[in-house]
Amino acid sequence: MEKTRRQGFHLEPPAGLLNDPNGLVWYRGSYYVYFQWNKFEKNHSYKEWGSFASDDLIHWQFRGSALVPDQPYDQNGVYSGSGLEIDGKLCLYYTGNHKEEGRRTSRQCMAVTEDGRHYLKLGPVLETPEGYTPHFRDPDVFRAENGLYYMLVGAQRSDGRGALALARSRDGFGWDYLHPLAYSRQYEMVECPDLFLLDGQYVLLYCPQARNNDTDACLSSYSAYKPVTFDPETGRLSPEDADLDRGRTVTDGGFDFYSPQTFTDGKGRRILFAWMSRMEEAEEAAFSAAEPSVHCLTMPRVLHWRAGRLWQTPPEELYSLLGEPIQPEALDSRTFWLGIEGLAGDKPFSLTLHGGEAALDFDPAARTLTLTRTAWLTGQPESKTCPLEQLKNLELWSDRSSLEVFINGGSLVLSARIDPASETLGLDVRGADGCGITLRPIHCI
Ligand code: FRU
């Protein structure tokens, strides 16, 4: 059994540090996944866009550098952004980060490609408008139903509070700042927004971030979503929806999930990838001490909007990686799929893997689901608890050093990197008598 922390079926670069997924797009029949990459070191000192491409969401080709910080306006980092096909060209939008004598300047920039291999930078297309600090980044560009292009930007207002800013364009190339779209009183910054129409409902994904504005340090952040009414004519949300502190739901209840981004593919599916990490610097160092790289993306997830919630499910393509059902003793890899169906819904349930490396506990009295794993630095168990009314079924995708658990058909998902200590599965399931339990190896390509 493999002891490495390198993943079997998740996207991770051969070396360095990966963070946010960027420029996700389906273009000319291929999937493109760009990502924040420090190719030199396993830390955050350098940022460019690395790239992967695939024709089928399963076989991925690592293509190395796509956009590097080689211009005065992006010399201190090609930061996060999005991708969109316009008139046959793949347009990439990113934040050019420039620092001089400790002063940061952020500009939203554009690059284009027609083959996913050669990139032409077009330079800055939007300066940071009055009323915002230089924490102005992560452009999310989309085309609304009326044909207008919008750019949503993660921002901090001059009063030190988080916000989302909106710019508009007729052609996707020339941009005008419009107005603040949404604001937070509780958080000092909002990162990585994504606004999209899903099953007839506009959904806003965003990452509220607490910052110490005196030291300019990030304190904490997470991914949230909320349904909104967006008027493509005016570029406005309803006043209630514009309040980012109201009506939000945590996007993933696990330990490691941040900066999700979505796109629509050729099959018309809205697909999400996220950065599968929320590690602190010391945890990153501990995790990757013996590894060439640190961090990976989540599995792709197909999104739906149903019953007032975001549903996330694995794309059908990924099931082709599953082998025939086997007994736990016969499993000789950490890459496996476990499905449990027909649970009572309101009875206690628990599941332990790899001798306690990871555990799930459903408490019907408290109506909570708890995920426990071994903490990176202390070696002690640590837990995350989220509200759950009923537990009916679950689907667990294990890679060599991660778990993604899809609850009740995907209305709740928990993602976590796992410290791979044990070589045997040691599966212990309680509260599932008479239920269908299926274990299948995942064959990595
Ligand atoms: C989110 C983020 C983005 C920024 C990028 C830099 O993780 O901080 O706001 O563009 O990472 O790597």
Side-chain angles (χ1 to χ4, degrees), residues 81-379:
S82 55
L84 188 69
E85 179 175 344
I86 302 178
D87 297 335
K89 290 190 172 58
L90 173 49
C91 297
L92 301 174
Y93 301 86
Y94 68 92
T95 304
N97 190 38
H98 175 97
K99 278 186 198 157
E100 207 164 296
E101 290 168 12
R103 269 181 54 93
R104 187 199 292 264
T105 309
S106 301
R107 297 186 181 90
Q108 310 317 309
C109 306
M110 254 186 105
V112 290
T113 178
E114 292 192 57
D115 60 5
R117 291 180 188 278
H118 304 90
Y119 296 86
L120 176 66
K121 286 189 179 174
L122 302 183
V125 293
L126 185 73
E127 298 288 327
T128 300
E130 285 281 303
Y132 297 94
T133 76
H135 286 301
F136 194 80
R137 56 177 172 266
D138 311 336
D140 162 45
V141 173
F142 63 97
R143 189 172 185 266
E145 308 97 284
N146 57 2
L148 289 172
Y149 294 91
Y150 283 98
M151 180 191 287
L152 190 54
V153 185
Q156 183 183 63
R157 302 292 302 272
S158 303
D159 65 1
R161 302 281 123 197
L164 294 177
L166 195 67
R168 186 154 63 189
S169 170
R170 298 216 159 267
D171 57 8
F173 289 81
W175 290 91
D176 293 310
Y177 170 68
L178 260 191
H179 46 236
L181 181 80
Y183 60 90
S184 169
R185 276 188 220 94
Q186 205 177 332
Y187 291 94
E188 285 75 27
M189 171 66 189
V190 183
E191 294 189 321
C192 300
D194 190 354
L195 178 62
F196 52 91
L197 199 52
L198 182 67
D199 298 327
Q201 173 67 58
Y202 268 104
V203 179
L204 178 63
L205 275 173
Y206 57 107
C207 296
Q209 183 178 68
R211 297 186 73 87
N212 179 332
N213 284 338
D214 296 329
T215 59
D216 200 26
C218 166
L219 303 174
S220 65
S221 50
Y222 62 95
S223 165
Y225 71 85
K226 64 183 267 175
V228 294
T229 50
F230 175 71
D231 180 349
E233 295 303 325
T234 60
R236 299 241 181 228
L237 301 179
S238 73
E240 202 166 277
D241 291 346
D243 182 348
L244 296 172
D245 302 329
R246 292 173 62 163
R248 63 171 175 247
T249 304
V250 172
T251 315
D252 183 293
F255 291 91
D256 292 297
F257 184 96
Y258 196 64
S259 315
Q261 192 180 102
T262 72
F263 67 106
T264 306
D265 79 349
K267 297 180 179 170
R269 300 175 295 185
R270 179 58 64 170
I271 298 181
L272 171 151
F273 282 88
W275 178 28
M276 191 152 52
S277 169
R278 268 334 269 153
M279 287 184 206
E280 302 292 331
E281 225 172 274
E283 293 173 321
E284 284 175 340
F287 173 90
S288 67
E291 302 290 332
S293 72
V294 59
H295 304 317
C296 65
L297 298 181
T298 61
M299 295 162 50
R301 301 173 185 179
V302 176
L303 300 185
H304 281 291
W305 186 262
R306 276 205 308 272
R309 281 192 78 85
L310 193 62
W311 295 67
Q312 308 175 47
T313 48
E316 57 188 2
E317 289 88 334
L318 265 77
Y319 290 88
S320 68
L321 300 177
L322 304 189
E324 290 301 312
I326 53 168
Q327 294 303 313
E329 309 74 57
L331 185 72
D332 65 352
S333 162
R334 290 182 61 93
T335 60
F336 66 87
W337 179 93
L338 180 72
I340 304 186
E341 278 182 51
L343 290 163
D346 53 0
K347 298 262 159 34
F349 168 89
S350 71
L351 178 156
T352 308
L353 297 173
H354 293 115
E357 251 178 40
L360 271 179
D361 284 284
F362 175 58
D363 179 343
R367 298 203 174 109
T368 54
L369 182 72
T370 300
L371 172 65
T372 304
R373 70 169 179 188
T374 306
W376 298 105
L377 295 178
T378 62

Side-chain angles (χ1 to χ4, degrees), residues 409-428:
S411 64
L412 171 68
V413 186
L414 302 109
S415 307
R417 295 307 295 266
I418 301 291
D419 190 359
S422 163
E423 309 228 340
T424 45
L425 177 59
L427 178 64
D428 184 16

